[in-house]
Amino acid sequence: MSDHKLRTSQIPINKNLVKLAVMYEDKIAQLIDFDQEKPLIAIIQDICAFKQWNIPDPESYSLKYETDNGKIYITEKNRSELKNGQVLRLMLSASKMAEKLIEILNSGGGQKMALQQLQGLSSDFTFVLDFINKQGLALLITYVEEDRVSDEALAYVLQTFVDLMDHNIVSWDILEHKFISKIASFVGSHSSRQDASILKASLAVLESVVQNTCSPDKQRLVEQEVTLANLISHLESLNAEIQLNTIALINALFMKTDQSKRRNFADELTAKNIRGVILSNVLQGARLVGSEMGHQLYVLQTLFFNLMEQRIMKRIDPQDQMERDKIVELRKIAFDSDTETNLSHTPTSRRPGSYAKDYKKLGFANHSNPAEDFTETPPGLLALDLMYYFACSHTDGYTKVVLENACRVDEHECPFGKSSIELTKMLCRDILKVGEPPNDEGSIYYPMFVTQERAFEEFFCICIQTLNKTWKEMRATAEDFPKVLSVVKEQIMRSLKEQPTNLDQFKNKMMKLTYSEITSLWQQERITREEDESQAKPIIELRELLTPEILELIQHQRMNFLVNGTLFSEYSNRGQRQKNKFWYCRLSPNHKGFHYGDCDENAKPLVEELDHKVAVVDIKQLVVGKDCPIMKNKSKTTVMNLAFSLVLDGPEAQYINFVAPHEHIFNMWTDGINALLGCPMTSDQTREDLDILLNMEVKLRLLDTEGITIPDQPPIIPPDPPNYDFAYD
């Protein structure tokens, strides 16, 4: 008996066999051993030859995942992802299925059922390739152009069309004007086809046309056929996806509009009250703003901010009387506001040089010709625009700021002109990133800029008054100007980080963040990240001794992060972000493989729910940035710095491409993958974590030495004594 047990335990396990169940129609399922070394067509022939099935023409069949979220044909490329216990279904091959569906669609009978089935298969690349090659896509285009389907079926046609085009097999330039005009008619407010599904898909099609076509004529056609009034009316829809697709189309039109016409486009949006519509129906609606909607709002806000770039980069023209009049008005509002004084002292009674003194009190560097202060770009003429707005719209606040500083001694005077110019530069370049194109992963938008007209100007007014207040609290002098600006920047950044919903909230947060509060926060943060400044040799040696242990702890933390997994946005092979498409990836608990698969936006699937797997031993190397396949043809963008790819072993180049939502996740994943591959963790995050943990550990080890000065060098060992008579027995 024991010999028998010994012999059976020594039977080798064939790792190439995967135990699966195969179903076909309503017949009894087969349990098979799927041999990964056997050709797929041979396996299908064996399945078809099963005596209880006996299916002829096995070449017409393929295996397909049974689960609803799979919908993927098993091919020679993806067969290695099969796992024990999975259920497959024997179905018509992708080619035969495409032929069958096209035949049904052409016959005119059973269209609805065929379109439903087609939509279910449109996520599978193998099927889509066959369907397009057999002119199935052209048939759908004809259906739309010639009104050959009912409204109910049209919704399936349009959604399927979007899914098919998302595979980037064919270019969006194949679409003719007739098709685009027809789709645009579905978006029109007077269209008889206002079904939500049709409208949602039509908006998505038009956005993709605008974003992806190389033909300016087709972009102009969409602009002409779809009015902004119609689009803004769709923002009032209760359907969140219609709202999302509408803003996405507005953004696409905004971005593709000629630079010279963008201001007119923005003015038309403003005239149609897009701000109020978004505020009422999106930001203050019953639903929370999702990440995709957040991204689209960020893009729209960025495009509006970037309209200021023209003024930022424009120097003052000495011959421009309008701009020079603004400077004169700044002086008048500040110093000639007393009507009684104006009656008794006419402008001609002013002493020569008195205007120069006024401009000095206003804080201009060039007292005799203050226009020279606006020759630097950035901030160019935008600084003058904001100063003029503050003086005219908040006259009391403006005169208070100017006259308070005029009464101070020169060394403690806060120069209003210089402060406004530097503050404008900081707001535009350092905080709001004016002039930078929208980032594909960006999602930080500020609702307060939607709450009222001239919101940016009001934002500046709050900030300049805060700067003056902080200057007083710091008792600053002219030499302290950079330090005051750094404190004000911290106040603004911390207030914006809390996402105030209106400018009053922002103002209240700024008022609470006094100079003393900022210094207190800085002190607390400095304590948490303070580096040990001691350069004593024993401390350095102790740090070197502790470093391997700390690195191992960091590596363990990175592994846990990868095991928990991350939700990534899906990108096409051309490096384009796919709207509303996400996938999840996580490391197996035993650290031997990565599991990944498609999922919903808010999902956090378990390892068992992810369809794909790649073993760590099959990873050849990690590449980042420009070296990633999906980034090779893109110009340098912020997204490029967040991209990384796994290069897999094999005769053909295979990659798994990632684009991290932000830098922290990029660092965590690249560190973890490098650790798995036996490479050093080189990210800034690792260096920062190592410093923090080392400093903390060193301080804990040195608690008993508090108050003792540690010498730079160890003490000299004294010579031996002349005798040891002092020793006791």
Side-chain angles (χ1 to χ4, degrees), residues 568 571-576 583 621-648 653-660 666 669-670 673:
F568 295 91
Y571 280 71
S572 70
N573 292 333
R574 299 179 184 177
Q576 293 177 331
W583 64 291
Q621 68 177 118
L622 170 72
V623 294
V624 300
K626 186 71 174 177
D627 295 328
C628 296
I630 61 173
M631 294 292 160
K632 288 189 181 297
N633 297 322
K634 291 186 71 104
S635 57
K636 187 171 180 59
T637 61
T638 308
V639 175
M640 188 178 293
N641 297 329
L642 302 175
F644 59 98
S645 299
L646 300 180
V647 183
L648 307 183
Q654 296 185 47
Y655 303 87
I656 300 178
N657 301 308
F658 301 73
V659 177
F666 174 85
W669 272 84
T670 52
I673 294 169

Side-chain angles (χ1 to χ4, degrees), residues 61-283:
Y61 290 87
S62 293
L63 291 172
K64 187 169 166 291
Y65 285 106
E66 172 64 13
T67 52
D68 291 337
N69 60 347
K71 294 182 179 176
I72 297 174
Y73 279 97
I74 309 299
T75 65
E76 292 291 353
K77 289 184 178 180
N78 64 23
R79 60 183 293 174
S80 60
E81 300 170 8
L82 289 170
K83 302 175 186 177
N84 285 321
Q86 286 186 319
V87 179
L88 306 182
R89 181 170 287 277
L90 186 69
M91 295 187 65
L92 284 176
S93 66
S95 177
K96 291 292 183 182
M97 181 61 74
E99 288 179 4
K100 178 183 175 182
L101 291 177
I102 291 173
E103 183 180 347
I104 295 173
L105 293 174
N106 276 321
S107 68
Q111 280 185 344
K112 180 181 175 182
M113 187 174 296
L115 287 169
Q116 288 176 333
Q117 194 172 3
L118 177 60
Q119 187 176 3
L121 291 165
S122 61
S123 62
D124 179 62
F125 181 84
T126 305
F127 170 80
V128 170
L129 187 60
D130 280 316
F131 185 78
I132 292 176
N133 287 338
K134 296 180 185 302
Q135 302 303 309
L137 183 65
L139 178 62
L140 295 183
I141 293 174
T142 303
Y143 269 19
V144 175
E145 291 179 343
E146 299 180 1
D147 262 343
R148 288 170 52 182
V149 289
S150 63
D151 286 3
E152 186 178 9
L154 179 62
Y156 289 111
V157 170
L158 293 177
Q159 187 56 56
T160 302
F161 176 81
V162 173
D163 294 340
L164 294 175
M165 295 298 290
D166 280 346
H167 289 278
N168 291 320
I169 296 173
V170 295
S171 168
W172 285 87
D173 287 316
I174 67 167
L175 301 179
E176 298 295 336
H177 285 207
K178 182 179 180 181
F179 179 83
I180 297 173
S181 296
K182 194 68 179 179
I183 296 296
S185 70
F186 301 150
V187 177
S189 60
H190 300 295
S191 171
S192 60
R193 295 187 165 183
Q194 281 295 302
D195 178 85
S197 300
I198 295 175
L199 181 57
K200 179 182 71 175
S202 299
L203 290 165
V205 171
L206 294 178
E207 183 217 347
S208 295
V209 169
V210 175
Q211 289 277 29
N212 299 306
T213 185
C214 298
S215 169
D217 290 341
K218 292 176 181 176
Q219 294 173 5
R220 284 193 292 270
L221 177 63
V222 176
E223 292 178 24
Q224 295 166 2
E225 296 280 347
V226 181
T227 65
L228 289 180
N230 286 339
L231 290 178
I232 292 175
S233 69
H234 293 316
L235 287 176
E236 299 174 356
S237 169
L238 298 178
N239 188 306
E241 291 186 79
I242 289 177
Q243 290 180 339
L244 173 63
N245 290 357
T246 300
I247 294 183
L249 177 54
I250 291 173
N251 287 337
L253 291 169
F254 205 155
M255 283 189 283
K256 294 297 182 177
T257 299
D258 291 340
Q259 200 71 33
S260 59
K261 298 179 180 178
R262 285 193 181 181
R263 170 59 67 179
N264 293 336
F265 187 92
D267 290 343
E268 187 175 352
L269 284 175
T270 303
K272 303 296 183 185
N273 193 31
I274 188 173
R275 177 189 60 80
V277 175
I278 290 177
L279 182 64
S280 302
N281 297 280
V282 180
L283 297 180

